[in-house]
């Protein structure tokens, strides 16, 4: 039940808005108090009068009401336990991602203090468009939760992904959010992610192709399940603005070592997903190295193995590593699991299609220290993150 939970429902202008009458009824039936904010475009699909009757509350469509009084969006944000925006159109999504505040719906969104849940709805090609995908990623990185669009018949007559999740699914998510005991509440988790850059001179470095996406997705998922998360992130272009994650930006393997070790002791879960350089230049030239007539030799020395050090210092932490391999995946991952004193290792291939660095998908196997191997399908990095985190939760439970 949602007894007395205060929910602001934002509706943007897509055909799926017609489902919001049913959505409001369901929310109210489950005990929620609902206040509705519509975009102007949404009023073409569902009337404010219908929503007002069903929610038993006033409905907002503009910055000022009919008597020219200011609709205080900040007060609405303070009132709410959650803001749900359903449907989220491509246009509204772009405004959320870009900071455009041209309607009361956007002002309420940008003022919102509590959890924001977004249920996108678009036509087939729109939902697949790279800009839309990028915007979904961006708004998720702000800590918003996305209820993905479902597959089925779309308003255009096309079949495919893009339908707004059914009101029943949305309400089930909200009920789950409010009632479930977040399994990681009170737990601390540390993730390191991204590449490292090892300076050669003031302008050059040795780096690698890691994007940091997998580690960021892990940090987001841990935070979504209630953990207090610290993310040590190498030089990745990803932007993160999640109030539940403390972000430490580093560049070199040495900085990553310092930051990871300094935050290690107090953690329950530690995941090293970073692609740490194994070698660094012995000396960093203070001046830009000038071009020589012939080649030059660069002397490299080993960096510290962060994960191996964590393994040595391990107390009660559940320590998780990654193994990125081109060959003999399971064999090599098993060696790393043992040699670095890990609880779990996530093995992935650097050469399998859809796996490894850069892309948005990954195919993993998880090996635990009791020699159990679990294989997973090719999935988006967000889904892979969810699989890993759930595996860790079950693993910790099974130890008790
Ligand atoms: N790792 C680390 N510090 C390093 C190198 C690796 O903490 N200097 C961690 C990675 O974050 C990952 C795990 O060790 O969790 C395995 O990394 P990987 O690059 O697959 O293996 P390496 O141990 O570096 O061995 P190799 O490169 O020979 O496969």
């Amino acid at each position: 039940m949602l007894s007395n939970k205060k929910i602001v429902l934002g509706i943007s202008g897509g055909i799926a808005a017609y489902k919001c009458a049913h959505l409001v009824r369901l929310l109210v039936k489950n005990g929620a108090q609902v206040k509705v904010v519509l975009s102007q475009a949404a009023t073409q699909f569902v009337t404010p009068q219908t929503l007002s009757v069903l929610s038993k509350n006033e409905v907002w469509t503009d910055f000022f009401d009919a008597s020219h009084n200011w609709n205080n969006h900040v007060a609405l944000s303070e009132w709410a336990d959650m803001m749900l925006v359903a449907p989220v159109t491509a246009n509204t999504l772009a405004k959320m991602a870009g900071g455009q505040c041209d309607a009361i719906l956007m002002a309420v969104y940008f003022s919102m203090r509590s959890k924001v849940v977004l249920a996108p709805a678009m036509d087939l090609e729109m939902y697949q468009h790279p800009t839309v995908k990028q915007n979904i990623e961006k708004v998720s990185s702000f800590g918003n939760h996305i209820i993905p669009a479902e597959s089925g018949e779309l308003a255009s007559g096309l079949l495919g992904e893009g339908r707004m999740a059914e009101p029943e699914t949305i309400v089930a998510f909200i009920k789950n959010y409010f009632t479930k005991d977040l399994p990681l509440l009170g737990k601390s988790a540390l993730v390191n992610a991204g590449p490292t850059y090892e300076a050669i001179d003031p302008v050059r470095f040795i780096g690698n192709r890691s994007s940091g996406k997998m580690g960021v997705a892990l940090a987001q998922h841990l935070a979504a399940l209630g953990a207090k998360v610290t993310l040590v992130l190498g030089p990745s272009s990803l932007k993160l603005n999640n109030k539940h994650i403390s972000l430490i930006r580093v560049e070199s393997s040495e900085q990553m070592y310092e930051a990871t070790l300094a935050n290690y002791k107090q953690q329950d879960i530690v995941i090293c997903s970073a692609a740490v350089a194994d070698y660094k230049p012995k000396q960093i030239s203070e001046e830009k190295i000038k071009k020589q007539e012939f080649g030059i030799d660069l002397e490299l020395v080993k960096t510290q193995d962060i994960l191996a050090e964590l393994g040595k210092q391990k107390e009660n932490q559940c320590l998780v590593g990654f193994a990125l391999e081109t060959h003999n995946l399971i064999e090599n991952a098993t060696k790393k699991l043992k040699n670095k004193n890990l609880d779990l290792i996530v093995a992935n291939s650097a050469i399998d299609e859809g796996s490894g660095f850069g892309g948005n998908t990954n195919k993993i196997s998880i090996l635990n220290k009791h020699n159990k191997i679990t294989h997973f399908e090719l999935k988006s990095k967000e889904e892979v993150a969810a699989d890993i985190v759930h595996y860790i939760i079950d693993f910790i439970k099974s130890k008790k």
Side-chain angles (χ1 to χ4, degrees):
M1 288 297 279
L2 294 171
S3 299
N4 293 323
K5 290 289 174 231
K6 301 186 187 88
I7 297 173
V8 169
L9 170 63
I11 306 177
S12 66
I15 179 63
Y18 85 91
K19 291 185 185 173
C20 288
H22 181 45
L23 180 57
V24 171
R25 265 200 87 224
L26 277 180
L27 288 167
V28 171
K29 214 168 130 191
N30 277 280
Q33 297 180 43
V34 182
K35 292 191 179 178
V36 181
V37 185
L38 288 143
S39 72
Q40 286 297 330
T43 60
Q44 310 270 327
F45 297 99
V46 59
T47 69
Q49 289 83 348
T50 306
L51 297 163
S52 169
V53 173
L54 292 173
S55 66
K56 303 183 184 71
N57 262 319
E58 62 200 320
V59 170
W60 297 13
T61 56
D62 212 337
F63 285 103
F64 294 91
D65 68 14
S67 321
H68 309 292
N69 295 314
W70 180 51
N71 280 326
N72 185 347
H73 53 85
V74 179
L76 196 57
S77 134
E78 279 167 359
W79 174 83
D81 295 312
M82 172 186 279
M83 179 177 195
L84 163 70
V85 187
V88 177
T89 58
N91 192 31
T92 297
L93 182 68
K95 291 182 197 172
M96 288 170 168
Q100 196 183 337
C101 188
D102 61 350
I104 185 77
L105 172 60
M106 302 316 300
V108 174
Y109 166 75
F110 286 118
S111 317
M112 193 51 58
R113 291 184 178 177
S114 18
K115 184 82 185 163
V116 177
V117 176
L118 307 174
M122 272 160 240
D123 217 82
L124 189 62
E125 313 299 343
M126 285 173 88
Y127 195 56
Q128 294 305 328
H129 196 281
T131 316
V132 168
K133 286 187 162 176
Q134 226 174 51
N135 285 341
I136 287 184
E137 244 174 58
K138 195 166 172 190
V139 298
S140 319
S141 79
F142 302 152
N144 298 322
H145 185 92
I146 309 285
I147 302 181
E150 294 174 356
S151 274
E153 191 177 339
L154 304 169
S156 60
L158 293 173
L159 270 182
E161 234 180 14
R163 279 165 69 102
M164 183 176 89
E166 290 302 324
E168 286 75 9
T169 312
I170 297 176
V171 172
F173 171 86
I174 295 174
K175 275 162 95 173
N176 194 31
Y177 175 81
F178 282 119
T179 53
K180 84 178 161 201
D181 53 330
L182 293 169
L184 295 177
L185 213 57
K187 300 271 181 216
S188 297
L190 171 68
V191 179
N192 72 19
T196 61
Y197 286 178
E198 309 304 324
I200 299 171
D201 68 14
V203 294
R204 304 181 180 96
F205 61 84
I206 300 173
N208 61 63
R209 297 183 201 281
S210 166
S211 62
K213 275 183 199 158
M214 193 62 248
V216 169
L218 281 164
Q220 304 262 35
H221 205 79
L222 288 161
L225 294 187
K228 187 168 158 278
V229 181
T230 305
L231 173 64
V232 180
L233 184 60
S236 148
S237 60
L238 296 176
K239 304 255 180 306
L240 193 85
N241 190 3
N242 183 328
K243 52 186 176 235
H244 306 291
I245 301 177
S246 17
L247 180 64
I248 305 174
R249 288 263 183 193
V250 295
E251 200 162 286
S252 65
S253 59
E254 200 174 321
Q255 290 167 350
M256 188 169 278
Y257 178 92
E258 299 296 335
T260 308
L261 266 290
N263 287 281
Y264 184 45
K265 247 190 164 14
Q266 63 272 31
Q267 304 298 335
D268 299 292
I269 297 168
V270 178
I271 308 178
C272 289
S273 66
V276 188
D278 289 327
Y279 297 96
K280 62 179 180 185
K282 187 171 182 193
Q283 257 163 3
I284 305 175
S285 167
E286 278 179 24
E287 291 174 10
K288 185 181 168 214
I289 300 170
K290 298 306 284 178
K291 190 161 48 192
Q292 318 283 321
E293 194 178 343
F294 302 105
I296 56 164
D297 290 325
L298 200 58
E299 191 179 347
L300 301 179
V301 291
K302 271 184 93 170
T303 58
Q304 303 228 54
D305 191 316
I306 304 170
L307 186 56
E309 186 55 37
L310 298 180
K312 278 187 203 144
Q313 296 189 21
K314 190 164 76 163
E315 289 169 349
N316 293 315
Q317 300 90 341
C318 176
L319 184 58
V320 184
F322 269 70
L324 181 70
E325 309 291 342
T326 51
H327 298 94
N328 304 332
L329 180 64
I330 300 299
E331 195 185 319
N332 286 329
T334 308
K335 274 190 203 148
K336 286 176 191 171
L337 175 77
K338 295 212 159 74
N339 294 344
K340 301 193 188 195
N341 189 26
L342 310 180
D343 294 284
L344 308 172
I345 194 155
V346 180
N348 58 339
S349 160
I351 50 174
D352 278 4
E353 201 167 323
S355 277
F357 281 178
N360 291 320
T361 55
N362 208 355
K363 186 163 183 280
I364 60 156
S365 301
I366 302 182
L367 287 68
N368 73 24
K369 64 177 179 188
H370 310 303
N371 301 320
K372 189 172 169 233
I373 305 178
T374 312
H375 301 286
F376 295 83
E377 300 290 310
L378 180 72
K379 295 180 182 184
S380 73
K381 286 191 172 166
E382 285 72 27
E383 289 169 310
V384 172
D387 285 342
I388 296 171
V389 172
H390 287 293
Y391 191 103
I392 295 172
I393 293 169
D394 290 344
F395 184 81
I396 294 175
K397 264 196 217 145
S398 71
K399 283 204 297 192
K400 283 185 185 152

